[in-house]
Amino acid sequence: MNDTAIIFVMNWKYIRPLKVLLYSLYKQNSLQNIPIIMVTDDKRVLHDPFVRAVCHSIEFMGEEELAPFSSIRGEKIAEKSKVAFAPKYTFLKFSIFKERGFKRHIFIDADMLCLNPLDEELLAADYHVKAMKEVASSHFPIRAEDRSKFNEAKSLASVTRAFEPQENAPGTGINSGFVVLENGAISDDVFDLAISVASSEAFGAEQPATSEVIRRIPDCKFLEAPHMV
C-alpha cells in the first residue's frame, strides 16, 4: 500500500495494547512496512523507547498544537469519560484529517486486535472514506443490561451486514476505531471543518462528531467496510 500511513492517537495507558495490536498485525502479515505516525499530548508516549522505535514520526501536541481544539464544546461529555485534557483528548482523533504528504491515512484504535489477515486491496479501494458501521450496544445486551430496546431481527441484520462492504452515503454513524481516509478526505480544510463541527454543536463523544464531519465532506465517496479487526 504505497503512499499510506498508519496513525495512532493515544496516551501512555495504550502503550501495552499498542504492542499487542502491532504483534497481531505482524502475525496476520497485515499493514507491514507502512510508516506509523503517533499523535499524543502525553510526554510519556513521546519518550517511550518502544514508541520511538516503531514510529516513523511522533507529533507531540503541546499548548500551541492543542490551541485549535480549545473551542470544542464539551458539556455533553460524561463526567466519567473526562481526563485532564477532556473533553478535547478524545477529539484529538480529528488530527487524522490533516495533510502529511501521504495519499492515505489508516487510523486504528490502539486497543484493537487483528485476528485475521486484512483485505488490503479493499482498504486501498477508491473511496474517500472507508469505515465500519457503528452498532448500538442495545443490539447486543449482556448480563443485566436493559433489553427493552433489543430487537433480534435488527441485531441479526446488523451482524450479517457487517460481513460485506457496502457503498453507502454515511447517513448512519460509523465506528471511528478503524477509519481509512484518502484524497479529498485528507486536507487541512477538512481538519478545520472538524473543529468547526465540534465547536458549533455539543457531542457526547468523538465518534458521533467524526461521523458528522464525514457526512459534511464535499462529494464524499463512502464505503461501509466489513468488520475486519
Side-chain angles (χ1 to χ4, degrees):
M1 297 181 71
N2 295 330
D3 300 324
T4 300
I6 300 172
I7 300 180
F8 294 104
V9 181
M10 53 180 254
N11 65 12
W12 71 273
K13 293 181 180 179
Y14 292 91
I15 292 176
R16 180 174 291 180
L18 174 66
K19 294 178 181 179
V20 176
L21 169 59
L22 293 181
Y23 180 72
S24 71
L25 288 169
Y26 165 75
K27 292 295 288 184
Q28 299 299 337
N29 194 29
S30 296
L31 304 183
Q32 298 302 291
N33 303 314
I34 295 177
I36 294 174
I37 297 173
M38 177 64 68
V39 179
T40 185
D41 66 329
D42 190 334
K43 289 185 177 179
R44 289 167 291 188
V45 174
L46 173 64
H47 297 300
D48 182 79
F50 175 80
V51 173
R52 297 178 74 86
V54 300
C55 288
H56 167 77
S57 62
I58 302 175
E59 299 177 5
F60 180 69
M61 307 292 282
E63 289 186 16
E64 182 178 348
E65 292 78 13
L66 293 176
F69 297 83
S70 62
S71 61
I72 293 176
R73 294 171 58 178
E75 59 263 37
K76 287 189 177 180
I77 300 290
E79 196 64 36
K80 65 180 181 180
S81 300
K82 294 186 177 182
V83 291
F85 181 49
K88 279 68 173 182
Y89 172 75
T90 54
F91 291 87
L92 285 183
K93 194 180 291 186
F94 287 163
S95 62
I96 66 175
F97 294 111
K98 297 183 73 171
E99 294 182 43
R100 295 178 173 85
F102 293 93
K103 175 185 176 181
R104 183 180 300 107
H105 292 167
I106 299 177
F107 171 83
I108 312 177
D109 273 343
D111 60 352
M112 298 186 84
L113 189 64
C114 182
L115 298 177
N116 298 289
L118 296 180
D119 185 344
E120 296 189 7
E121 185 174 339
L122 178 64
L123 294 180
D126 187 22
Y127 293 87
H128 295 89
V129 179
K130 293 173 279 283
M132 296 177 290
K133 175 182 172 61
E134 179 186 19
V135 177
S137 59
S138 59
H139 283 191
F140 301 97
I142 59 175
R143 297 177 184 166
E145 290 182 351
D146 179 22
R147 295 174 180 265
S148 61
K149 297 181 181 180
F150 176 64
N151 181 305
E152 183 175 0
K154 270 189 176 182
S155 299
L156 291 175
S158 68
V159 171
T160 303
R161 179 172 172 172
F163 291 139
E164 296 293 336
Q166 299 193 32
E167 288 194 34
N168 181 30
T172 55
I174 66 163
N175 181 338
S176 62
F178 191 102
V179 179
V180 183
L181 306 174
E182 57 184 271
N183 298 326
I186 300 174
S187 74
D188 292 340
D189 287 342
V190 177
F191 172 75
D192 291 342
L193 170 66
I195 296 296
S196 175
V197 167
S199 300
S200 60
E201 180 181 346
F203 291 88
E206 162 277 322
Q207 184 156 284
T210 301
S211 297
E212 182 60 28
V213 173
I214 290 170
R215 292 186 191 103
R216 298 193 194 185
I217 295 175
D219 303 316
C220 180
K221 189 179 177 185
F222 176 81
L223 182 73
E224 183 183 299
H227 285 254
M228 293 182 287
V229 291

